[in-house]
Amino acid sequence: MSIELWAWGTPNGRKISVALEEMGIPYTVKPVNIGKGEQFTPAFLKISPNNKIPAIIDSDGPGGRPISIFESGAILIYLGEKTGKFWPKGDLRRQVPVLEWLMWQMGGLGPIPGQVHHFREVKDEADRRYGLERFMKETHRLYSVLDKRLGEVSYAGGNDVSIADFAILGWAWRHERHQIDFAEYRNVGRWYDAMMARPGTKRGFEVSLS
Ligand SMILES: N[C@@H](CCC(=O)N[C@@H](CS)C(=O)NCC(=O)O)C(=O)O
């Protein structure tokens, strides 16, 4: 099995390097420098038509034929299905909470703190204040929801580490940039420390994506 990971060292890119390391899948990194516009090259658009990292190419896809996948959530589900790791393969009841928290991240704790990252850099003070007020409030709400969940179960999807944790971790890794203090979200802080202490996760954050 050989996978190409087309990515850059951002939260969405890190979700996949962490998953690949945790699953023990060999892969090669194809850096896509999004600061230099490499996400718009024809070669990349062919596998990621929305011009965003990450994307993967699995040379040994279903039926033994190559397959490319874009959207980090789709990639995580694919890798979980393929390996049976961090994904309750064949157990729809246990898949549901994993999917719920994966989708929760994809639609919330990613796009929203991403807006905080953006508005922090806005020069006009009134615009900056408006954006930060709006998106910080929602970012705090999302962390409260996660904190409650992680007060009830050990990991986002239940009692086992799953692809949902890798997805959420990619963004929680940038909590300082979106001005979140884990002292306010103790369950999230505990989960974060436990995840970051995992050797596979550490490797996933350390591997060069540039
Ligand atoms: N929903 C997408 C979001 C991916 C995304 O926003 N990627 C950013 C980097 S973290 C990107 O490639 N931005 C380049 C651009 O927007 O041109 C996913 O989860 O894969």
Side-chain angles (χ1 to χ4, degrees), residues 7-79:
W8 195 242
T10 63
N12 291 310
R14 287 292 168 197
K15 292 175 188 175
I16 309 303
S17 55
V18 166
L20 288 166
E21 291 288 346
E22 285 277 3
M23 291 174 181
I25 303 175
Y27 64 100
T28 51
V29 175
K30 302 284 249 183
V32 181
N33 186 335
I34 59 173
K36 287 195 175 154
E38 289 176 6
Q39 68 273 38
F40 298 104
T41 61
F44 185 63
L45 289 174
K46 212 168 142 196
I47 60 168
S48 186
N50 196 34
N51 63 263
K52 290 187 192 293
I53 63 97
I56 65 166
I57 299 178
D58 181 1
S59 61
D60 181 25
R65 283 181 294 115
I67 190 169
S68 66
I69 307 158
F70 70 99
E71 280 295 328
S72 59
I75 296 170
L76 288 170
I77 294 169
Y78 174 82
L79 295 176

Coordinates of all heavy atoms in Angstrom, one line a residue, residues 7-79:
A7 N -0.4 17.9 0.8 CA -0.8 18.7 2.0 C 0.1 19.8 2.2 O 1.1 20.0 1.5 CB -0.9 17.8 3.2
W8 N -0.2 20.5 3.3 CA 0.7 21.6 3.8 C 0.5 21.6 5.3 O -0.5 21.0 5.8 CB 0.2 22.9 3.2 CG 1.2 24.1 3.3 CD1 1.0 25.3 4.0 CD2 2.5 24.2 2.8 NE1 2.1 26.1 3.8 CE2 3.1 25.4 3.1 CE3 3.3 23.3 2.0 CZ2 4.4 25.8 2.8 CZ3 4.6 23.7 1.7 CH2 5.1 24.9 2.0
G9 N 1.4 22.2 6.1 CA 1.4 22.1 7.5 C 0.3 22.9 8.2 O 0.6 23.6 9.2
T10 N -0.9 22.7 7.8 CA -2.1 23.4 8.4 C -3.0 22.4 9.1 O -2.8 21.2 9.0 CB -2.9 24.1 7.3 OG1 -3.4 23.1 6.5 CG2 -2.1 25.0 6.4
P11 N -4.0 22.9 9.9 CA -4.8 22.0 10.7 C -5.4 20.9 9.8 O -5.4 19.7 10.2 CB -5.9 22.9 11.2 CG -5.2 24.2 11.4 CD -4.3 24.3 10.3
N12 N -5.9 21.2 8.6 CA -6.6 20.2 7.8 C -5.6 19.2 7.2 O -5.9 18.0 7.1 CB -7.4 20.8 6.7 CG -8.6 21.5 7.2 OD1 -9.4 20.9 8.0 ND2 -8.8 22.8 6.9
G13 N -4.3 19.7 7.0 CA -3.3 18.8 6.5 C -2.8 17.9 7.6 O -2.6 16.7 7.4
R14 N -2.7 18.4 8.8 CA -2.2 17.6 10.0 C -3.2 16.5 10.4 O -2.8 15.4 10.9 CB -2.0 18.5 11.2 CG -0.8 19.4 11.0 CD 0.5 18.6 11.0 NE 1.7 19.4 10.6 CZ 2.8 18.9 10.2 NH1 3.0 17.6 10.2 NH2 3.8 19.6 9.8
K15 N -4.5 16.7 10.1 CA -5.4 15.6 10.5 C -5.0 14.3 9.8 O -5.1 13.2 10.3 CB -6.8 15.9 9.9 CG -7.6 17.1 10.5 CD -8.8 17.3 9.6 CE -9.6 18.5 10.0 NZ -10.7 18.7 9.1
I16 N -4.6 14.5 8.5 CA -4.3 13.3 7.7 C -2.9 12.7 8.0 O -2.7 11.5 8.1 CB -4.4 13.6 6.2 CG1 -5.8 14.2 5.9 CG2 -4.3 12.3 5.4 CD1 -7.0 13.5 6.4
S17 N -1.9 13.6 8.3 CA -0.6 13.0 8.6 C -0.7 12.3 10.0 O -0.1 11.2 10.1 CB 0.5 14.1 8.7 OG 0.2 15.2 9.5
V18 N -1.5 12.8 10.9 CA -1.7 12.1 12.2 C -2.4 10.8 11.9 O -2.0 9.7 12.4 CB -2.6 13.0 13.1 CG1 -3.1 12.2 14.3 CG2 -1.7 14.2 13.6
A19 N -3.5 10.7 11.1 CA -4.2 9.5 10.8 C -3.3 8.5 10.2 O -3.2 7.3 10.6 CB -5.4 9.8 10.0
L20 N -2.5 8.9 9.2 CA -1.6 7.9 8.5 C -0.5 7.4 9.5 O -0.3 6.2 9.4 CB -0.9 8.6 7.3 CG -1.8 9.0 6.1 CD1 -1.2 10.0 5.2 CD2 -2.2 7.7 5.4
E21 N 0.0 8.2 10.3 CA 1.0 7.8 11.3 C 0.4 6.8 12.3 O 0.9 5.7 12.6 CB 1.7 8.9 12.0 CG 2.6 9.8 11.2 CD 3.9 9.1 10.8 OE1 4.2 8.1 11.4 OE2 4.6 9.6 9.9
E22 N -0.8 7.2 12.8 CA -1.5 6.3 13.8 C -1.9 5.0 13.2 O -1.8 4.0 13.9 CB -2.7 7.1 14.3 CG -2.4 8.2 15.3 CD -2.2 7.6 16.8 OE1 -2.2 6.4 17.0 OE2 -2.0 8.5 17.7
M23 N -2.2 5.0 11.9 CA -2.7 3.7 11.3 C -1.5 2.9 10.8 O -1.7 1.8 10.4 CB -3.6 4.1 10.1 CG -5.0 4.6 10.6 SD -5.9 5.1 9.2 CE -7.4 5.7 10.0
G24 N -0.3 3.5 10.8 CA 0.9 2.8 10.3 C 0.9 2.6 8.8 O 1.4 1.5 8.4
I25 N 0.3 3.5 8.1 CA 0.3 3.4 6.6 C 1.5 4.1 6.0 O 1.7 5.3 6.3 CB -1.0 4.0 6.0 CG1 -2.2 3.4 6.7 CG2 -1.0 3.9 4.5 CD1 -3.5 4.1 6.2
P26 N 2.3 3.4 5.2 CA 3.4 4.2 4.5 C 2.9 5.2 3.6 O 1.9 5.0 2.9 CB 4.2 3.1 3.7 CG 3.5 1.8 4.1 CD 2.2 2.0 4.8
Y27 N 3.5 6.4 3.5 CA 3.1 7.4 2.6 C 4.2 8.3 2.3 O 5.2 8.4 3.0 CB 1.9 8.2 3.3 CG 2.3 9.0 4.5 CD1 2.6 10.4 4.5 CD2 2.5 8.3 5.8 CE1 3.0 11.1 5.6 CE2 2.9 9.0 6.9 CZ 3.1 10.4 6.8 OH 3.5 11.1 8.0
T28 N 4.0 9.0 1.2 CA 5.0 10.1 0.8 C 4.3 11.4 0.8 O 3.1 11.4 0.4 CB 5.6 9.8 -0.6 OG1 4.6 9.6 -1.5 CG2 6.5 8.6 -0.6
V29 N 5.0 12.4 1.2 CA 4.3 13.8 1.2 C 4.6 14.5 -0.1 O 5.7 14.5 -0.6 CB 4.9 14.6 2.4 CG1 4.4 16.0 2.4 CG2 4.6 13.9 3.7
K30 N 3.6 15.1 -0.6 CA 3.7 16.0 -1.8 C 3.3 17.3 -1.3 O 2.1 17.6 -1.2 CB 2.7 15.5 -2.9 CG 2.9 14.1 -3.4 CD 4.2 14.0 -4.3 CE 3.8 13.7 -5.7 NZ 5.0 13.5 -6.5
P31 N 4.2 18.2 -0.9 CA 3.9 19.5 -0.4 C 3.1 20.4 -1.4 O 3.5 20.4 -2.6 CB 5.2 20.1 0.0 CG 6.2 19.0 0.0 CD 5.7 18.0 -1.0
V32 N 2.1 21.0 -1.0 CA 1.4 22.0 -1.8 C 1.4 23.3 -1.1 O 0.7 23.5 -0.1 CB -0.1 21.5 -2.0 CG1 -0.9 22.5 -2.9 CG2 -0.2 20.1 -2.5
N33 N 2.3 24.2 -1.5 CA 2.5 25.5 -0.8 C 1.3 26.4 -1.1 O 1.3 27.1 -2.2 CB 3.8 26.1 -1.2 CG 4.1 27.3 -0.4 OD1 3.2 28.0 0.1 ND2 5.4 27.6 -0.3
I34 N 0.3 26.4 -0.2 CA -0.9 27.2 -0.4 C -0.6 28.7 -0.3 O -1.4 29.5 -0.8 CB -2.0 26.8 0.5 CG1 -1.7 26.9 2.0 CG2 -2.5 25.4 0.2 CD1 -2.9 26.7 2.9
G35 N 0.5 29.1 0.3 CA 0.9 30.5 0.3 C 1.4 31.0 -1.0 O 1.3 32.2 -1.3
K36 N 1.9 30.0 -1.8 CA 2.4 30.4 -3.2 C 1.4 30.1 -4.3 O 1.8 30.1 -5.4 CB 3.7 29.7 -3.4 CG 4.9 30.2 -2.6 CD 6.2 29.7 -3.2 CE 7.4 30.3 -2.5 NZ 8.6 29.4 -2.6
G37 N 0.2 29.6 -3.9 CA -0.8 29.4 -4.9 C -0.7 28.0 -5.6 O -1.3 27.8 -6.6
E38 N 0.1 27.1 -5.0 CA 0.3 25.8 -5.7 C -1.0 24.9 -5.7 O -1.1 24.0 -6.4 CB 1.4 25.0 -5.0 CG 2.8 25.6 -5.3 CD 3.9 24.9 -4.6 OE1 3.7 23.9 -4.0 OE2 5.1 25.5 -4.7
Q39 N -2.0 25.4 -4.9 CA -3.3 24.6 -4.9 C -4.1 24.8 -6.2 O -5.1 24.2 -6.4 CB -4.1 25.0 -3.6 CG -4.7 26.4 -3.6 CD -3.7 27.4 -3.0 OE1 -2.5 27.3 -3.2 NE2 -4.2 28.4 -2.2
F40 N -3.6 25.8 -7.0 CA -4.3 26.1 -8.2 C -3.6 25.4 -9.5 O -4.1 25.7 -10.6 CB -4.4 27.6 -8.4 CG -5.2 28.3 -7.3 CD1 -4.6 29.0 -6.4 CD2 -6.6 28.1 -7.3 CE1 -5.3 29.6 -5.3 CE2 -7.3 28.7 -6.3 CZ -6.7 29.5 -5.3
T41 N -2.6 24.6 -9.3 CA -1.9 24.0 -10.4 C -2.9 22.9 -11.0 O -3.6 22.3 -10.2 CB -0.6 23.4 -10.0 OG1 -0.9 22.4 -9.0 CG2 0.4 24.4 -9.4
P42 N -2.8 22.7 -12.3 CA -3.7 21.7 -12.9 C -3.5 20.3 -12.3 O -4.5 19.6 -12.1 CB -3.3 21.7 -14.4 CG -2.7 23.1 -14.6 CD -2.1 23.5 -13.3
A43 N -2.3 20.0 -11.9 CA -2.0 18.6 -11.4 C -2.8 18.5 -10.0 O -3.3 17.4 -9.7 CB -0.5 18.4 -11.1
F44 N -2.8 19.5 -9.2 CA -3.5 19.4 -7.9 C -5.0 19.5 -8.1 O -5.7 18.7 -7.5 CB -3.0 20.5 -7.0 CG -3.6 20.3 -5.6 CD1 -3.3 19.2 -4.8 CD2 -4.4 21.3 -5.0 CE1 -3.9 19.0 -3.6 CE2 -5.0 21.1 -3.8 CZ -4.7 20.0 -3.0
L45 N -5.4 20.4 -9.0 CA -6.9 20.5 -9.2 C -7.5 19.2 -9.7 O -8.7 19.0 -9.5 CB -7.2 21.7 -10.2 CG -6.9 23.1 -9.6 CD1 -7.1 24.1 -10.7 CD2 -7.9 23.4 -8.4
K46 N -6.7 18.5 -10.4 CA -7.2 17.2 -10.9 C -7.6 16.3 -9.8 O -8.6 15.5 -9.9 CB -6.1 16.5 -11.7 CG -6.6 15.7 -12.9 CD -5.4 15.3 -13.8 CE -5.6 13.9 -14.3 NZ -4.5 13.3 -14.8
I47 N -6.9 16.3 -8.7 CA -7.3 15.4 -7.5 C -8.1 16.2 -6.5 O -8.7 15.6 -5.6 CB -6.1 14.7 -6.9 CG1 -5.1 15.8 -6.4 CG2 -5.4 13.8 -7.9 CD1 -4.0 15.1 -5.5
S48 N -8.0 17.5 -6.5 CA -8.7 18.3 -5.5 C -9.4 19.5 -6.2 O -8.9 20.7 -6.1 CB -7.7 18.8 -4.4 OG -8.4 19.4 -3.3
P49 N -10.5 19.3 -6.8 CA -11.1 20.4 -7.6 C -11.6 21.6 -6.8 O -11.8 22.7 -7.4 CB -12.4 19.7 -8.2 CG -12.6 18.5 -7.4 CD -11.3 18.1 -6.8
N50 N -11.6 21.5 -5.5 CA -12.0 22.7 -4.7 C -10.7 23.5 -4.3 O -10.8 24.4 -3.4 CB -12.8 22.2 -3.5 CG -13.5 23.3 -2.8 OD1 -14.0 24.3 -3.4 ND2 -13.6 23.3 -1.4
N51 N -9.6 23.2 -4.9 CA -8.3 23.8 -4.6 C -7.9 24.0 -3.1 O -7.4 25.0 -2.7 CB -8.2 25.2 -5.4 CG -9.1 26.3 -4.9 OD1 -10.2 26.5 -5.6 ND2 -8.8 27.0 -3.9
K52 N -8.2 22.9 -2.4 CA -7.8 23.0 -1.0 C -7.1 21.7 -0.6 O -7.4 20.6 -1.1 CB -9.0 23.2 -0.1 CG -9.6 24.6 -0.2 CD -10.7 24.8 0.8 CE -11.4 26.1 0.5 NZ -10.7 27.3 0.6
I53 N -6.1 21.8 0.3 CA -5.4 20.6 0.8 C -6.3 20.2 2.0 O -7.0 21.0 2.6 CB -4.0 20.9 1.2 CG1 -3.8 21.9 2.4 CG2 -3.1 21.3 0.1 CD1 -3.7 21.4 3.7
P54 N -6.3 18.9 2.4 CA -5.5 17.8 1.9 C -6.2 17.0 0.8 O -7.4 17.1 0.7 CB -5.3 16.9 3.1 CG -6.6 17.1 3.8 CD -7.0 18.5 3.6
A55 N -5.4 16.3 0.0 CA -5.9 15.2 -0.9 C -4.9 14.1 -0.8 O -3.8 14.2 -0.4 CB -6.0 15.8 -2.3
I56 N -5.4 12.9 -1.1 CA -4.5 11.7 -1.2 C -4.7 11.0 -2.5 O -5.8 11.1 -3.2 CB -4.7 10.7 0.0 CG1 -6.1 10.1 -0.1 CG2 -4.5 11.4 1.3 CD1 -6.2 8.8 0.8
I57 N -3.7 10.3 -2.9 CA -3.8 9.3 -4.0 C -3.4 8.0 -3.4 O -2.3 7.9 -2.8 CB -2.9 9.6 -5.2 CG1 -3.3 11.0 -5.8 CG2 -3.1 8.5 -6.3 CD1 -2.4 11.4 -7.0
D58 N -4.2 7.0 -3.5 CA -3.9 5.6 -3.1 C -3.7 4.8 -4.3 O -4.7 4.6 -5.1 CB -5.1 5.1 -2.2 CG -4.8 3.7 -1.7 OD1 -3.7 3.2 -2.0 OD2 -5.6 3.1 -1.0
S59 N -2.5 4.4 -4.5 CA -2.2 3.6 -5.8 C -2.9 2.2 -5.7 O -3.1 1.6 -6.8 CB -0.7 3.4 -6.0 OG -0.2 2.7 -4.8
D60 N -3.2 1.8 -4.5 CA -3.8 0.5 -4.4 C -5.2 0.7 -3.8 O -5.6 0.3 -2.7 CB -3.0 -0.3 -3.4 CG -3.5 -1.7 -3.1 OD1 -4.2 -2.2 -4.0 OD2 -3.2 -2.3 -2.1
G61 N -6.0 1.4 -4.6 CA -7.4 1.7 -4.2 C -8.3 0.4 -4.4 O -7.9 -0.7 -4.7
P62 N -9.6 0.7 -4.2 CA -10.6 -0.4 -4.4 C -10.4 -1.1 -5.8 O -10.2 -0.4 -6.8 CB -12.0 0.3 -4.3 CG -11.7 1.5 -3.6 CD -10.3 1.9 -3.9
G63 N -10.4 -2.4 -5.8 CA -10.3 -3.2 -7.0 C -8.8 -3.2 -7.5 O -8.5 -3.5 -8.6
G64 N -7.9 -2.7 -6.6 CA -6.5 -2.7 -7.0 C -6.1 -1.6 -7.9 O -5.0 -1.5 -8.4
R65 N -7.1 -0.6 -8.1 CA -6.8 0.5 -9.0 C -6.6 1.8 -8.2 O -7.2 1.9 -7.1 CB -8.0 0.6 -10.0 CG -7.9 -0.4 -11.1 CD -9.0 -0.2 -12.1 NE -10.4 -0.5 -11.5 CZ -11.3 0.4 -11.4 NH1 -11.1 1.6 -11.8 NH2 -12.5 0.1 -10.8
P66 N -5.8 2.7 -8.7 CA -5.6 4.0 -8.0 C -6.8 4.8 -7.8 O -7.8 4.7 -8.6 CB -4.6 4.7 -8.9 CG -4.0 3.7 -9.9 CD -5.0 2.6 -10.0
I67 N -6.9 5.5 -6.7 CA -8.0 6.4 -6.4 C -7.5 7.6 -5.8 O -6.5 7.6 -5.0 CB -9.0 5.7 -5.5 CG1 -10.4 6.5 -5.4 CG2 -8.5 5.4 -4.1 CD1 -11.5 5.7 -4.8
S68 N -8.1 8.8 -6.1 CA -7.7 10.0 -5.4 C -9.0 10.5 -4.6 O -10.1 10.2 -5.0 CB -7.3 11.1 -6.4 OG -8.4 11.5 -7.2
I69 N -8.7 11.2 -3.5 CA -9.7 11.6 -2.6 C -9.4 13.0 -2.1 O -8.3 13.2 -1.6 CB -9.9 10.7 -1.4 CG1 -10.1 9.2 -1.8 CG2 -11.1 11.1 -0.5 CD1 -9.7 8.2 -0.8
F70 N -10.4 13.9 -2.1 CA -10.2 15.2 -1.5 C -11.2 15.4 -0.4 O -12.2 14.5 -0.3 CB -10.3 16.4 -2.5 CG -11.6 16.6 -3.1 CD1 -12.5 17.6 -2.6 CD2 -12.1 15.9 -4.1 CE1 -13.7 17.9 -3.1 CE2 -13.4 16.1 -4.7 CZ -14.2 17.1 -4.2
E71 N -11.1 16.4 0.5 CA -11.9 16.6 1.7 C -11.4 15.7 2.8 O -11.5 14.5 2.7 CB -13.4 16.4 1.5 CG -14.1 17.6 0.8 CD -14.1 18.9 1.6 OE1 -14.1 18.8 2.9 OE2 -14.0 20.0 1.1
S72 N -10.9 16.4 3.8 CA -10.3 15.6 4.9 C -11.2 14.6 5.6 O -10.8 13.5 5.9 CB -9.7 16.5 6.0 OG -10.7 17.4 6.5
G73 N -12.5 14.9 5.7 CA -13.5 14.0 6.3 C -13.6 12.7 5.5 O -13.6 11.6 6.0
A74 N -13.7 12.9 4.2 CA -13.8 11.8 3.3 C -12.5 10.9 3.3 O -12.6 9.7 3.3 CB -14.1 12.3 1.8
I75 N -11.4 11.6 3.4 CA -10.1 10.9 3.4 C -10.1 10.0 4.7 O -9.7 8.8 4.7 CB -8.9 11.8 3.4 CG1 -8.9 12.6 2.0 CG2 -7.6 11.1 3.6 CD1 -7.9 13.8 2.0
L76 N -10.5 10.6 5.8 CA -10.4 9.9 7.1 C -11.3 8.7 7.1 O -10.9 7.6 7.6 CB -10.8 10.8 8.3 CG -9.7 11.9 8.6 CD1 -10.3 12.9 9.6 CD2 -8.5 11.2 9.2
I77 N -12.5 8.8 6.6 CA -13.4 7.7 6.5 C -12.9 6.6 5.6 O -12.9 5.4 5.9 CB -14.8 8.1 6.0 CG1 -15.5 9.1 7.1 CG2 -15.7 6.9 5.8 CD1 -16.7 9.8 6.6
Y78 N -12.3 7.0 4.4 CA -11.7 6.1 3.5 C -10.6 5.3 4.2 O -10.5 4.0 4.1 CB -11.1 6.8 2.3 CG -10.4 5.9 1.3 CD1 -11.0 5.1 0.4 CD2 -9.0 5.8 1.4 CE1 -10.3 4.3 -0.5 CE2 -8.3 5.0 0.5 CZ -8.9 4.2 -0.4 OH -8.3 3.4 -1.2
L79 N -9.7 6.0 4.9 CA -8.6 5.3 5.5 C -9.1 4.4 6.7 O -8.5 3.3 6.9 CB -7.6 6.3 6.1 CG -6.9 7.2 5.1 CD1 -6.0 8.3 5.8 CD2 -6.0 6.3 4.1

